Each structure stands twice: as structure tokens, then as C-alpha cells.
Amino acid sequence: MVKYKVTTLFQSDWDNVFPALFPGLEHSFSQIRGNVAIYGFDDTSVKPADLGPLVKVELISE
């Protein structure tokens, strides 16, 4: 499993941010708290899209 921590500098509508970051993918785990979300994927080859400086994505585990 691979997990990404996503932090936005704005109040996020995660229903729109997630498909922009991971188009066409389904996560197997998620935890959302305010402007921070953690998404987990069983497929370790998943890579997020670059949405610019207002959306920071960190790989937190593989």
C-alpha cells in the first residue's frame, strides 16, 4: 500500500480535488480533516498529478 498526505492552502472540496490529483483512480483508504487528507492505494505505482503550489502532496508510506 502507498499513502499520500495532501494539504491545501484553501478550504477544499475533496470531491473535486481527489479526481484532479488521481484521475480515474479509486482509493482504498481515506482520512479527511479540514484542509488535510490522507489517501491510501493498494497499487504502489499510483502517482499524483501536480496541481501547483496551493496543493502539497507528500508520500508518507510505501
Side-chain angles (χ1 to χ4, degrees), residues 3-58:
K3 290 183 185 176
Y4 289 100
K5 177 181 177 185
V6 181
T7 306
T8 62
L9 294 179
F10 52 89
Q11 185 59 37
S12 302
D13 177 358
W14 293 106
D15 290 335
N16 290 321
V17 174
F18 178 83
L21 276 173
F22 305 102
L25 299 176
E26 293 289 327
H27 58 279
S28 57
F29 166 83
S30 68
Q31 180 180 23
I32 297 172
R33 192 169 294 156
N35 68 326
V36 177
I38 297 175
Y39 293 107
F41 300 89
D42 291 327
D43 180 358
T44 58
S45 67
V46 169
K47 302 291 184 226
D50 182 1
L51 298 184
L54 297 180
V55 180
K56 180 180 177 183
V57 181
E58 302 169 79

